[in-house]
Amino acid sequence: MFRRIDHIGVAVEDLDAAIALHERTYGMALVHRETVAEQGVEAVLLDVGENHVELLAPLGDDTPVGRFLAKRGPGLHHVAYQVEDIVAALDELRAAGVRLIDEAPRTGIRNSRVAFLHPAASGAVLTELVQPATLHA
C-alpha cells in the first residue's frame, strides 16, 4: 500500500527562519512554497534526496497546526507516505478498523490528494497518506 515516505512534516512558528535554517545549515534546497487554505497553513517543501521536509506555519491559532503549536510547540508534526490510489488505501484501512481523521481525500500541497490517519491508530504519530497529482491527473 505505502510506496515510500513522501515527506516529514514539521510545525514551525517562523517559516522564514525555519527555511533559512534548513537551507543554510542543512544544505536543503527549497523547491516549493504554497498557502494551503483548506488546511490553514503556509507550507514549503525542501528536498532531501528523493523525499522532502515539509515546513508548516499556521495561518491562525485556530487551525490544526496552530493548535498543535500551542499545545506542543514547534517540532515533528506528521509522517507522510505516498500511495498510488488514496481512495483504495482509505477503503483498505477502514476495512482493517484503522481510525481515520479523513474519510475522503482532500487537496494538499501541489494539488496532491491527502488524508490523515488518527495518531491513536498509528503508534501515536499523525500519519498522512499522499497521492501525488501525477498519479491522479
Side-chain angles (χ1 to χ4, degrees):
M1 176 185 323
F2 296 162
R3 297 180 66 201
R4 65 181 178 99
I5 292 177
D6 187 81
H7 66 269
I8 304 297
V10 178
V12 301
E13 293 172 340
D14 182 336
L15 189 57
D16 291 323
I19 291 168
L21 170 71
H22 285 76
E23 285 182 320
R24 293 184 195 140
T25 306
Y26 304 148
M28 295 179 186
L30 176 65
V31 294
H32 186 76
R33 186 172 187 155
E34 176 181 345
T35 297
V36 185
E38 183 177 342
Q39 294 185 30
V41 296
E42 184 173 5
V44 301
L45 294 174
L46 299 116
D47 273 348
V48 181
E50 296 178 4
N51 307 86
H52 298 94
V53 169
E54 179 184 48
L55 303 177
L56 303 161
L59 297 178
D61 294 338
D62 61 340
T63 64
V65 174
R67 289 188 295 273
F68 176 92
L69 285 169
K71 184 175 180 180
R72 298 192 180 128
L76 179 64
H77 183 261
H78 66 272
V79 177
Y81 297 95
Q82 191 177 105
V83 297
E84 286 189 35
D85 182 339
I86 196 165
V87 172
L90 286 170
D91 288 346
E92 187 175 331
L93 291 164
R94 188 180 300 104
V98 174
R99 186 172 170 195
L100 308 175
I101 292 175
D102 296 307
E103 292 291 327
R106 53 183 153 145
T107 302
I109 194 167
R110 294 196 293 191
N111 203 33
S112 60
R113 296 175 74 198
V114 303
F116 287 88
L117 310 181
H118 196 281
S122 50
V125 176
L126 181 61
T127 300
E128 180 181 15
L129 306 180
V130 178
Q131 181 180 339
T134 56
L135 294 179
H136 70 86

